[in-house]
Amino acid sequence: MSDASPVPTLPPSASAKASRLRFAAFWSLPPLLWQLAFFVVPLGFLVAMTFWSVKSFRLTPDATLANWIFILNAGFFRNAYIYTFWLAGLTALLASFVAFPASYAMAFLLKPATRRFLVFMLVVPFFTSYPVRIYSTQIFFSPQGIINAVIEPLGLGPVSVLNSPTGTVVGYLVLTLPLVVLLQTFALGNVPRTLVEAAHNLGCGRLRTILTVIVPSARVGLIVAATFAFVLAFGDYVAPVYLGGSKPPTLSILIADQVKSGNNWPRASVVAVVMIVTLIIVMTAMLALAYGRKGARR
């Protein structure tokens, strides 16, 4: 055995600390400036515009609450808000439950090579434009589309999906499902295998292991995946227009309508700000749900 005493470590000097701070500031400054220029400043301009007015089709920088009062008291806005929130929440739930079996199989059952191939296949849809994917979806669900061509000879059709809330949800799932599967797979992949093996050794069946060990261990990733699905669906414009038929309108369609009707950017800005505030509240609540119990244990 060696009797050499451990070498004491010296605290970092002031110059070393300053060097590390300069290094961190250098690499963190560009994204901060980017966010400031293309998110914070436009967001501030958007909020300011909600207090402007439109006179003779021209924006006038007033200081009026008329736009807020009009939009918040409008029945069409409340209906669109509830409808959009409901569809986004339904999409988050459907995407989470539909994606989980595939994510579980990719994380626990498949070989690494097969898993990498499936991850690649889930990334491929993002190589194409989202509107292109929605147009291709129309081919399946149009009255003379592929699905009706297959099921009508069997006496099961026709089914009507286009220009309906179902069509909008299908479009939302086209947008969100690959991302939810990827996020869930990464979350399940980080679950300690020792916990799963311990549950099996203690006599837990597969379903009980999933519900009592795997899901709680991957809770943060699963909630983040559902939150992403909600956020993407809540602000989407393409699916409600090209698959939902714009009836009833969602908030994103309402923004476009306000701009088209009389160039009313201030009222459209009010709707946009309400959407942003809603997303901030939802994300805060979901993060509290994801990390709340862990923080309580600490």
Side-chain angles (χ1 to χ4, degrees):
M1 295 179 59
S2 173
D3 56 352
S5 59
V7 178
T9 57
L10 297 176
S13 63
S15 61
K17 289 182 179 178
S19 177
R20 282 201 297 267
L21 288 175
R22 285 195 298 270
F23 182 81
F26 176 79
W27 288 107
S28 62
L29 193 58
L32 290 178
L33 291 177
W34 179 274
Q35 287 293 96
L36 181 66
F38 296 103
F39 178 71
V40 177
V41 173
L43 181 61
F45 182 73
L46 185 72
V47 174
M49 193 184 293
T50 62
F51 302 102
W52 292 9
S53 61
V54 178
K55 296 177 181 176
S56 301
F57 298 97
R58 291 180 179 274
L59 292 175
T60 302
D62 295 333
T64 176
L65 292 174
N67 301 306
W68 284 93
I69 295 173
F70 176 83
I71 290 295
L72 296 181
N73 289 320
F76 66 86
F77 169 75
R78 289 195 294 270
N79 294 335
Y81 185 90
I82 295 171
Y83 180 66
T84 306
F85 198 97
W86 158 248
L87 287 189
L90 179 64
T91 301
L93 285 176
L94 287 176
S96 298
F97 282 104
V98 171
F100 188 83
S103 305
Y104 176 84
M106 291 172 63
F108 291 100
L109 305 179
L110 299 180
K111 296 179 179 178
T114 308
R115 185 186 311 125
R116 287 194 292 271
F117 173 74
L118 292 178
V119 168
F120 173 75
M121 295 302 294
L122 288 169
V123 174
V124 166
F126 296 103
F127 295 171
T128 61
S129 172
Y130 173 51
V132 171
R133 281 183 277 158
I134 292 299
Y135 277 124
S136 63
T137 308
Q138 284 184 325
I139 298 174
F140 285 89
F141 293 106
S142 64
Q144 295 79 31
I146 296 174
I147 293 179
N148 281 329
V150 172
I151 65 175
E152 280 189 345
L154 303 176
L156 301 176
V159 296
S160 179
V161 176
L162 280 181
N163 302 325
S164 69
T166 304
T168 302
V169 173
V170 170
Y172 286 164
L173 291 175
V174 170
L175 172 65
T176 61
L177 196 56
L179 179 62
V180 173
V181 173
L182 288 173
L183 292 176
Q184 286 190 356
T185 302
F186 295 144
L188 296 176
N190 291 324
V191 174
R193 296 298 189 271
T194 53
L195 292 179
V196 179
E197 294 172 359
H200 286 311
N201 293 335
L202 293 174
C204 287
R206 189 180 298 274
L207 180 61
R208 188 177 179 184
T209 302
I210 292 174
L211 296 178
T212 60
V213 176
I214 295 176
V215 170
S217 299
R219 182 183 69 250
V220 174
L222 299 180
I223 293 176
V224 168
T227 305
F228 267 100
F230 181 91
V231 170
L232 292 176
F234 192 75
D236 184 41
Y237 175 79
V238 177
V241 171
Y242 295 102
L243 294 181
S246 303
K247 294 180 180 179
T250 60
L251 289 178
S252 55
I253 295 175
L254 206 59
I255 291 175
D257 290 344
Q258 290 297 319
V259 174
K260 293 175 183 175
S261 60
N263 201 26
N264 209 321
W265 287 90
R267 291 180 182 175
S269 300
V270 172
V271 179
V273 170
V274 171
M275 293 180 70
I276 293 172
V277 172
T278 300
L279 291 177
I280 291 174
I281 293 174
V282 170
M283 292 178 67
T284 303
M286 296 296 280
L287 289 177
L289 179 65
Y291 292 99
R293 292 183 179 178
K294 182 182 289 186
R297 284 196 298 268
R298 291 175 180 174

